[in-house]
Amino acid sequence: QVQLVESGGGLVQPGGSLRLSCAASGFALDDYAIGWFRAAPGKEREGVSCITSDGDGPYYADSVKDRFTFSRDRTKNTVYLQMYSLKPEDTAVYYCAAGAIRTSSCLWDYYGMDHWGKGTPVTVSS
C-alpha cells in the first residue's frame, strides 16, 4: 500500500524552528519527485520545496528561501523539511507529495503529484 505520512508539526513561537518528516511506504521516494506544500486558511495552496524525479533541486519558494531546508534519508525512505526563523505567516497544514515530475514545476504542479500525505499542522504564534 502506497502511503506518505507527515509528522513533526506543532506550535512554535516566532523565530523558532521545527523539522517535519515525511515517511514513505509501498514505494521508493528516490523514484519520484517529492514536494512539500502548505495550505493556510483563506489562502491558496503553496509549493514550499521540492526535488525532481531526476534528483534535481531542491527548489524553494521565495517566501521560504534561506529559512527552510529540504533533505532526505534514503535508508529510511524519508524526507525532511527543516524550518528555521519561523514566522506567523508560515502557519499552515504542511503536506508532502510524490509524483513523476522532472522539472522545477514540482513546486506548483499539484496535479502531477500522484500521492499525498494527510498533512501535519504548523502554528507559529506567541
Side-chain angles (χ1 to χ4, degrees), residues 96-114:
C96 66
I101 302 173
R102 303 180 65 182
T103 70
S104 60
S105 64
C106 54
L107 263 183
W108 51 264
D109 187 4
Y110 313 129
Y111 297 105
M113 291 295 181
D114 301 313

Side-chain angles (χ1 to χ4, degrees), residues 39-113:
K43 295 184 179 180
E44 291 188 2
R45 179 171 39 179
E46 177 185 19
V48 176
S49 182
C50 69
I51 56 172
T52 72
S53 55
D54 290 340
D56 295 328
Y59 302 98
Y60 297 95
D62 288 343
S63 58
V64 306
K65 202 170 292 184
D66 299 327
R67 297 190 299 121
F68 290 11
T69 302
F70 184 117
S71 63
R72 62 181 168 183
D73 186 333
R74 290 180 171 85
T75 65
K76 296 182 179 179
N77 208 26
T78 298
V79 297
Y80 304 95
L81 186 68
Q82 178 69 56
M83 306 186 295
Y84 298 101
S85 302
L86 283 161
K87 305 175 182 180
E89 51 263 44
D90 294 318
T91 296
V93 177
Y94 284 72
Y95 302 88
C96 66
I101 302 173
R102 303 180 65 182
T103 70
S104 60
S105 64
C106 54
L107 263 183
W108 51 264
D109 187 4
Y110 313 129
Y111 297 105
M113 291 295 181

Side-chain angles (χ1 to χ4, degrees), residues 7-12 17-20 36 38-41 68 81 83 86-95 119-125:
S7 61
L11 173 64
V12 63
S17 302
L18 279 176
R19 189 178 80 156
L20 306 183
W36 283 99
R38 65 186 181 185
F68 290 11
L81 186 68
M83 306 186 295
L86 283 161
K87 305 175 182 180
E89 51 263 44
D90 294 318
T91 296
V93 177
Y94 284 72
Y95 302 88
T120 184
V122 172
T123 302
V124 185
S125 174

